[in-house]
Every structure is written in structure tokens, then in C-alpha cells.
């Protein structure tokens, strides 16, 4: 069975945590590329230019293999790692969590920092709407116009998402379907070609 579902957030979520006058503002975003992440981080660094640290972690892709955690000057593994830990424990992907820290004048120590960043990230996730999405595969099929009824019968039966369609002497239809149904759809369309 092919893994064809993943959990991500639908809406932006904000979280907050305070400890010994240090304030931790957390923001969760749905993201789909490293470029998008860089743009969002640049906006936060500009908006919160007076903050001591802008730490973050992200996870990308349904396989959850592309990720990064950044401590932005905090002691090693006290900020990015606990943020990433929250992403992992909620099994989320295509997500960026940024935690902005305003220093309150009292050092929290490594365990205090880990708790603060973890709780701020957890609060941002708690204020986000989580949804399950399907991993889609896109199939493009080219066929002669007289085959239209046969193609549309398969589309009606399997219910893929129609991304685009061109009807001319040679027709083309682009379909998005759950990854574990893609092979079946491809085989059924291929059969039409050889009938």
C-alpha cells in the first residue's frame, strides 16, 4: 500500500508563551517550498527586527524527508529542535513554525528554553486547523476524439480531479488522482488505446 495521505495545517495559527518576562510569539504557516519559507522568514525578521531571536523549524513533502531546525543564536538544540519536535509529534508536513523571542532580562537556561520553544510551537499548532490531504499523482492522457465517451466513463467511475482538458482532433485530459489509485487509472486508460 502506497502512503497517499498526509497531515498539514489549513490556516495560519498563532501561539504565545511567556517565562521570566521573556515573550515567545509563535506562528505556524502552511508552506510548500523552501523559497516560500525564505520569504516568510524575511518578513518576520523585518517585522520583529527588535527581537533577540527568530527561531524556526519546517517540514516539507508527504514523505516528511525535507526538514530544518534553526536556533538563530540560541544555545544549540534549545529552539529549532523543540519546535521541530512539535511538528513531528503532530505528524505534520508542509508546515513552517517561527518563534520570535523577546528577551526578558533573565536567563532561562537550556531546559527552560527547550520548554519555552516547545510550548510556544505547541500553542501555534493548537490554534491552527489541521487537515488530512491526499497525495495526488497527475496523469496526462492523449486520445482521439471518438474515444471521448470511453475516457469519460472511466473518469466518472474512478472520479479523479480534472485539472485540464483539451478537445480537438487529438484530445488531452490531465487528471489528479490519489497515488494508490494512479496505477489502476493509468492501466484502464492504456487499455482503451489498444482496444
Amino acid at each position: 500500500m502506497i502512503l497517499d495521505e498526509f497531515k498539514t495545517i489549513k490556516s495560519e495559527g498563532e501561539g504565545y508563551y511567556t517565562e521570566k518576562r521573556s515573550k515567545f510569539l509563535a506562528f505556524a504557516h502552511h508552506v510548500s517550498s523552501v523559497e516560500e519559507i525564505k520569504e516568510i522568514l524575511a518578513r518576520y525578521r523585518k517585522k520583529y527586527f527588535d527581537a533577540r531571536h527568530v527561531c524556526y523549524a519546517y517540514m516539507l513533502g508527504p514523505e516528511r524527508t525535507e526538514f530544518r531546525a534553526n536556533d538563530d543564536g540560541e544555545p544549540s538544540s534549545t529552539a529549532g529542535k523543540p519546535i521541530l519536535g512539535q511538528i513531528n509529534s503532530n505528524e505534520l508536513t508542509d508546515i513552517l513554525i517561527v518563534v520570535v523571542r523577546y528577551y526578558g532580562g533573565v536567563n532561562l537556561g537550556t531546559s527552560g528554553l527547550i520548554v519555552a520553544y516547545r510550548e510556544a510551537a505547541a500553542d501555534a499548532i493548537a490554534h491552527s486547523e489541521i487537515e488530512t490531504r491526499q497525495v495526488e499523482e497527475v496523469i496526462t492522457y492523449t486520445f482521439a476524439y471518438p474515444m471521448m465517451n470511453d475516457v469519460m466513463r472511466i473518469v466518472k467511475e474512478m472520479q479523479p480531479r480534472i485539472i485540464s482538458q483539451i478537445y480537438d482532433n487529438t484530445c488531452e485530459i490531465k487528471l489528479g488522482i490519489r497515488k494508490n489509485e494512479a496505477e489502476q487509472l493509468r492501466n484502464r486508460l492504456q487499455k482503451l488505446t489498444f482496444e
Side-chain angles (χ1 to χ4, degrees):
M1 164 99 179
I2 299 167
L3 178 74
D4 70 345
E5 283 187 346
F6 61 95
K7 286 188 340 190
T8 187
I9 59 170
K10 194 175 181 174
S11 56
E12 289 179 19
E14 290 187 14
Y16 179 77
Y17 185 78
T18 180
E19 181 69 35
K20 294 181 180 159
R21 295 200 308 273
S22 273
K23 291 184 181 78
F24 297 83
L25 313 175
F27 306 92
H29 291 267
H30 175 78
V31 289
S32 50
S33 70
V34 174
E35 291 70 39
E36 193 180 350
I37 289 165
K38 285 177 180 166
E39 284 170 24
I40 293 168
L41 288 171
R43 284 202 312 259
Y44 279 109
R45 289 205 171 98
K46 196 172 171 183
K47 184 175 180 180
Y48 297 101
F49 65 92
D50 55 341
R52 177 71 68 92
H53 304 281
V54 178
C55 305
Y56 66 89
Y58 68 77
M59 178 73 68
L60 287 174
E63 296 84 24
R64 303 178 76 243
T65 51
E66 194 177 345
F67 59 89
R68 182 148 186 229
N70 185 302
D71 297 318
D72 191 38
E74 290 282 29
S76 181
S77 300
T78 58
K81 224 175 174 180
I83 298 169
L84 186 61
Q86 286 303 306
I87 293 172
N88 281 328
S89 64
N90 285 280
E91 298 175 350
L92 296 170
T93 190
D94 291 353
I95 184 173
L96 164 69
I97 298 179
V98 181
V99 180
V100 177
R101 178 186 183 192
Y102 282 97
Y103 184 61
V106 180
N107 287 341
L108 303 181
T110 52
S111 60
L113 286 171
I114 290 168
V115 168
Y117 280 101
R118 183 182 65 218
E119 292 305 312
D123 198 38
I125 292 170
H127 288 93
S128 303
E129 190 181 336
I130 294 175
E131 69 175 1
T132 301
R133 293 190 181 179
Q134 263 74 50
V135 178
E136 272 193 345
E137 200 166 305
V138 176
I139 294 172
T140 304
Y141 183 64
T142 307
F143 57 97
Y145 190 80
M147 295 166 63
M148 175 71 68
N149 288 342
D150 296 329
V151 170
M152 294 320 280
R153 186 182 67 246
I154 292 171
V155 168
K156 189 176 180 212
E157 288 168 9
M158 292 197 67
Q159 298 191 327
R161 183 172 62 89
I162 297 174
I163 298 168
S164 67
Q165 33 195 353
I166 301 164
Y167 300 122
D168 209 341
N169 291 342
T170 302
C171 304
E172 184 184 275
I173 191 163
K174 197 177 271 190
L175 306 167
I177 191 158
R178 278 181 81 146
K179 203 171 186 129
N180 67 6
E181 295 175 8
E183 197 57 37
Q184 185 188 353
L185 178 62
R186 199 177 286 110
N187 290 341
R188 286 186 67 183
L189 291 171
Q190 228 91 55
K191 258 191 197 147
L192 292 179
T193 310
F194 301 110
E195 276 181 359

